[in-house]
């Protein structure tokens, strides 16, 4: 009783620490989201310092360069140094850079060159990446079965932060005749300082927690009592994360007692069987009852099941019926797409990792491009369609569109984890197939924005662009952790997203070229129905379409991998395996 009480207390403490770490991750991404706020203060900053559209684009994209190019470094740091040091660094960096922007705007700091402004934006991007990598690495290592949902919630605050802060700008800093850009920048400096400092105090790696059943499968399919299995146990004990799991087993909670009954019945009957030394495992009992009424894996399992397993099934009809019921609930019972725990050059050279990075580059790059230029787009559309334009009204419209992009990004990041987990659990829909749908959303968003001829339709395009961008950036980190493991997740995710900024920079530079060519005098009143920038969205639509085609190629490769893994599995004598693989991992 004392041991049970101590175990329950330890479990409560672990749940509390995990919840506190999740709260810290959400606060951390509140700071990280400030990297997408340039459109709220960028137009005012450009007017005050007399920047061209091209120069403003370079300043804006510099934050994304800082964010994305520092990903591998901070991913490695999150894996090795821990999250608290990085969060403290982000607090100092964010406060310093936003303060420097504010005082440059007011004229208190010299050197108002666009090159100096770009340096400040790089520091903002680096700070946001440091705190974001801390948050997402902690979350992937604290959750497993519901990792997709947890990561989506964490990243959702990355998208929600600009939505909330742009509304704060509208209410408190853009209500007068002239927007208070200086006050808003000073406010952002304190937001970064406070939220990152709180995150540094609360972020910690708790781990998955002990589980009744092992669910991950090492390289290859390893049976118990083999030399490979024995070495894998030693290796797993050395890895804090590979030998741990969430506070739930492979099966739903309602089946946990049934699973225990199966194990007890199996062991009792195996011990009673004098002609057999093998002890049929839980997985053998389950697999012997899979695929009733169909061929394939179920037939192979029945044909290869040891005599002890068949005797157990025959001697305990109630147990066999329960196993059959559980097997029906988990459909195949086996997931043929398992994590490979790749890292370093093995990850970089992997074709599927390269394709996934290319999908992110093409589809998320257009989101980066739009985030940085939505202020200029709204400004041009408003001034060209309003007889008597008002600068404060223009700023409020910009804030509304930034809010729409941010809200869409938040909803996309928040929902994609739940959607993918649910589709995998209920319909066994592969995550690579979901990625194709997400990529198609990017194509649709660019078509809507490129054809918008008024602010109402442009608002719909802003919402769709933010939503598709949030889906992509909320989904790919989960795929990296599920397909390639969590041991090197920070470094892998940093490498995967490193090139996104180049796509955003390329599209942004082309947008600036088109805009400056059509409006050499920088007069937005001459941009009738978006004619001054529409050619840029022809290119962005083509880029997103290329991303869709890449996602389709990746989905086909993943399908081939699943079929090959199933073939290899069915050829193995796997009925005495110690565990069943994690059924939710693709």
């Amino acid at each position: 009783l004392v041991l049970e009480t101590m175990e329950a207390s330890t479990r409560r403490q672990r749940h509390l620490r995990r919840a506190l770490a999740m709260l810290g991750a959400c606060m951390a991404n509140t700071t990280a989201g400030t990297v997408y706020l340039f459109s709220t203060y960028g137009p005012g900053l450009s007017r005050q310092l007399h920047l061209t559209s091209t120069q403003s684009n370079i300043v804006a994209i510099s934050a994304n360069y800082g964010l994305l190019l520092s990903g591998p470094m901070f991913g490695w740091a999150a894996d090795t140094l821990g999250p608290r040091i990085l969060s403290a660094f982000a607090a100092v960096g964010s406060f310093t850079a936003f303060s420097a922007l504010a005082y440059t705007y007011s004229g208190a700091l010299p050197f108002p060159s666009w090159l100096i402004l770009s340096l400040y934006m790089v520091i903002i991007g680096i700070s946001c990446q440091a705190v974001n990598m801390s948050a997402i690495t902690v979350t992937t290592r604290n959750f497993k079965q519901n990792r997709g949902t947890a990561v989506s919630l964490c990243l959702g605050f990355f998208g929600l932060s600009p939505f909330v802060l742009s509304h704060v700008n509208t209410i408190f800093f853009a209500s007068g005749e002239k927007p208070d850009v200086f006050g808003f920048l000073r406010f952002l400096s304190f937001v970064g300082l406070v939220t990152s400092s709180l995150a540094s105090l609360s972020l910690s790696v708790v781990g998955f927690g002990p589980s009744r059943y092992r669910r991950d499968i090492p390289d290859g399919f390893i049976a118990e009592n083999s030399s490979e299995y024995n070495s894998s146990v030693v290796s797993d004990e050395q890895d804090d994360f590979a030998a741990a799991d969430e506070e739930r087993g492979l099966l739903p909670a309602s089946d946990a007692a049934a699973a225990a009954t199966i194990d007890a019945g199996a062991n009792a009957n195996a011990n009673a069987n004098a002609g057999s030394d093998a002890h049929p495992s839980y997985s053998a009992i389950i697999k012997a009852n899979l695929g009733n009424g169909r061929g394939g894996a179920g037939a192979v399992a029945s044909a290869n099941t040891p005599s002890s397993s068949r005797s157990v099934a025959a001697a305990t009809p109630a147990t066999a019926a329960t196993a059959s019921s559980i097997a029906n609930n988990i459909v195949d019972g086996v997931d043929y797409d398992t994590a490979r725990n790749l890292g370093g050059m093995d990850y970089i050279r992997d074709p599927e990792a390269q394709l996934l990075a290319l999908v992110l580059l093409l589809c998320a790059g257009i989101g980066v491009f739009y985030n940085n230029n939505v202020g200029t787009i709204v400004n041009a559309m408003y001034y060209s369609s309003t007889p008597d334009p008002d600068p404060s009204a223009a700023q409020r419209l910009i804030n509304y569109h930034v809010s729409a992009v941010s809200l869409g990004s938040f909803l996309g990041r928040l929902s994609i984890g739940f959607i993918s987990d649910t589709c995998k659990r209920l319909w066994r829909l592969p995550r690579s197939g979901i990625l194709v749908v997400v990529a198609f959303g990017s194509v649709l968003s660019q078509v809507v924005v490129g054809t918008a001829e008024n602010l109402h339709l442009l608002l719909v395009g802003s919402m769709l662009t933010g939503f598709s961008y949030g889906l992509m950036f909320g989904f790919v980190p989960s795929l990296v952790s599920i397909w390639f493991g969590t041991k090197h997740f920070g470094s892998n995710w940093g490498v995967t997203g490193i090139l996104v900024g180049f796509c955003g920079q390329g599209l942004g530079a082309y947008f600036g070229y088109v805009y400056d060519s059509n409006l050499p005098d920088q007069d937005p009143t001459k941009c009738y129905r978006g004619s001054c920038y529409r050619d840029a969205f022809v290119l962005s639509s083509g880029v997103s379409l290329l991303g869709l085609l890449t996602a389709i190629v990746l989905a086909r490769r993943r399908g081939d991998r699943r079929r090959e893994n199933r073939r290899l599995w069915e050829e193995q004598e796997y009925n005495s395996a110690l565990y069943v693989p994690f059924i939710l991992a693709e």
Side-chain angles (χ1 to χ4, degrees):
L1 181 60
V2 173
L3 291 177
E4 290 179 355
T5 303
M6 293 177 62
E7 182 179 355
S9 177
T10 302
R11 186 181 299 112
R12 283 193 298 269
Q13 292 177 3
R14 188 166 56 250
H15 285 322
L16 179 61
R17 291 179 59 201
R18 185 180 293 143
L20 185 62
M22 190 69 203
L23 179 61
C26 293
M27 287 189 296
N29 273 329
T30 301
T31 298
T34 59
V35 74
Y36 295 135
L37 283 171
F38 181 81
S39 290
T40 61
Y41 58 83
L45 189 68
S46 299
R47 284 193 302 269
Q48 179 77 2
L49 302 179
H50 308 291
L51 303 180
T52 66
S53 178
T54 301
Q55 291 171 344
S56 180
N57 260 288
I58 294 174
V59 172
I61 202 66
S62 297
N64 296 104
Y65 275 139
L67 178 77
L68 299 169
L69 295 182
S70 62
M73 178 182 68
F74 286 121
W76 170 84
D79 288 337
T80 56
L81 302 179
R84 295 185 174 180
I85 295 178
L86 297 187
S87 298
F89 167 82
V92 176
S94 180
F95 177 79
T96 302
F98 275 116
S99 297
L101 281 177
Y103 287 109
T104 300
Y105 173 86
S106 67
L109 280 180
F111 311 113
S113 167
W114 61 271
L115 290 173
I116 302 299
L117 296 178
S118 298
L119 175 61
Y120 297 154
M121 296 300 292
V122 168
I123 296 174
I124 290 174
I126 289 175
S127 302
C128 291
Q129 183 65 281
V131 74
N132 172 62
M133 198 61 73
S134 300
I136 193 173
T137 301
V138 167
T139 303
T140 56
R141 293 185 171 183
N142 283 346
F143 295 88
K144 188 166 189 179
Q145 181 171 346
N146 297 315
R147 184 185 299 157
T149 303
V151 170
S152 295
L153 177 61
C154 171
L155 289 175
F157 278 81
F158 204 147
L160 183 65
S161 172
F163 171 76
V164 174
L165 293 176
S166 62
H167 272 287
V168 170
N169 184 26
T170 300
I171 296 172
F172 296 104
F173 300 99
S175 57
E177 294 183 359
K178 185 179 180 181
D180 184 9
V181 178
F182 173 80
F184 184 58
L185 289 171
R186 287 292 292 155
F187 170 74
L188 292 180
S189 68
F190 283 103
V191 168
L193 177 65
V194 173
T195 55
S196 295
S197 298
L198 292 175
S200 68
L201 297 176
S202 56
L203 286 176
S204 63
V205 177
V206 183
F208 304 142
S211 174
R212 185 180 184 86
Y213 303 106
R214 288 194 51 119
R215 293 180 297 187
D216 276 335
I217 181 168
D219 296 335
F221 303 112
I222 303 175
E224 62 177 321
N225 298 326
S226 68
S227 59
E228 288 184 54
Y229 167 71
N230 293 332
S231 63
S232 72
V233 170
V234 175
S235 175
D236 287 343
E237 288 175 351
Q238 295 172 350
D239 190 337
D240 293 338
F241 308 113
D245 206 343
E246 237 181 316
E247 277 294 303
R248 60 185 70 187
L250 169 69
L251 305 178
S254 59
D255 297 322
T261 304
I262 293 172
D263 280 334
N267 290 331
N269 284 275
N271 291 333
N273 189 347
S276 175
D277 295 331
H279 292 265
S281 69
Y282 165 77
S283 60
I285 298 294
I286 293 296
K287 292 168 188 172
N289 289 275
L290 293 176
N292 292 334
R294 66 174 177 86
V300 175
S302 299
N304 295 331
T305 304
S307 59
S308 58
S309 297
R310 289 194 294 270
S311 66
V312 170
T316 58
T319 300
T322 304
S324 179
S325 174
I326 295 171
N328 291 333
N329 287 337
I330 61 177
V331 190
D332 278 331
V334 175
D335 192 332
Y336 302 102
D337 238 338
T338 52
R340 291 179 284 159
N341 264 330
L342 296 183
M345 293 305 300
D346 290 336
Y347 177 80
I348 294 174
R349 287 193 294 259
D350 186 78
E352 292 172 8
Q354 294 170 356
L355 287 172
L356 184 61
L358 184 58
V359 173
L360 183 68
L361 165 70
L362 298 173
C363 294
I366 62 174
V368 173
F369 148 69
Y370 189 77
N371 279 331
N372 292 332
N373 292 280
V374 64
T376 302
I377 294 169
V378 172
N379 209 48
M381 186 75 74
Y382 171 74
Y383 275 91
S384 63
S385 61
T386 305
D388 188 18
D390 176 32
S392 292
Q395 182 62 53
R396 287 192 292 271
L397 277 173
I398 291 172
N399 290 341
Y400 290 147
H401 278 261
V402 172
S403 299
V405 174
S406 303
L407 180 60
S409 178
F410 167 72
L411 294 176
R413 294 170 192 260
L414 185 65
S415 61
I416 186 60
F418 174 78
I419 291 172
S420 62
D421 287 348
T422 301
C423 289
K424 187 67 178 177
R425 182 180 294 113
L426 297 182
W427 302 296
R428 308 287 287 173
L429 182 65
R431 290 182 172 89
S432 55
I434 300 175
L435 183 65
V436 173
V437 178
V438 171
F440 175 76
S442 299
V443 178
L444 180 63
S445 68
Q446 294 307 286
V447 172
V448 172
V449 173
T451 57
E453 296 185 348
N454 56 68
L455 287 168
H456 298 292
L457 187 57
L458 184 62
L459 184 63
V460 175
S462 296
M463 188 74 179
L464 283 175
T465 302
F467 186 67
S468 61
Y469 179 73
L471 288 176
M472 185 62 65
F473 250 109
F475 193 34
V476 174
S478 297
L479 296 182
V480 171
S481 65
I482 291 170
W483 290 352
F484 305 103
T486 60
K487 184 175 183 180
H488 307 285
F489 169 78
S491 302
N492 291 348
W493 171 231
V495 170
T496 302
I498 191 172
L499 297 178
V500 174
F502 291 101
C503 181
Q505 171 65 64
L507 291 172
Y510 183 67
F511 176 90
Y513 167 76
V514 171
Y515 187 91
D516 290 342
S517 298
N518 292 322
L519 297 177
D521 57 354
Q522 302 293 309
D523 184 3
T525 60
K526 300 177 181 178
C527 186
Y528 183 66
R529 292 186 176 181
S531 59
C532 63
Y533 58 76
R534 182 160 291 121
D535 289 346
F537 285 95
V538 175
L539 178 61
S540 67
S541 298
V543 169
S544 60
L545 181 60
L546 184 58
L548 173 61
L549 296 177
T550 306
I552 293 173
V553 173
L554 176 59
R556 290 179 62 88
R557 287 187 62 94
R558 296 298 297 185
D560 293 340
R561 176 178 293 279
R562 285 192 301 275
R563 285 187 289 273
E564 178 65 13
N565 282 352
R566 178 167 184 162
R567 184 188 66 80
L568 292 174
W569 180 274
E570 290 177 352
E571 290 178 355
Q572 300 294 322
E573 293 291 334
Y574 65 89
N575 292 287
S576 60
L578 183 64
Y579 50 81
V580 177
F582 177 33
I583 65 170
L584 295 181
E586 186 189 1

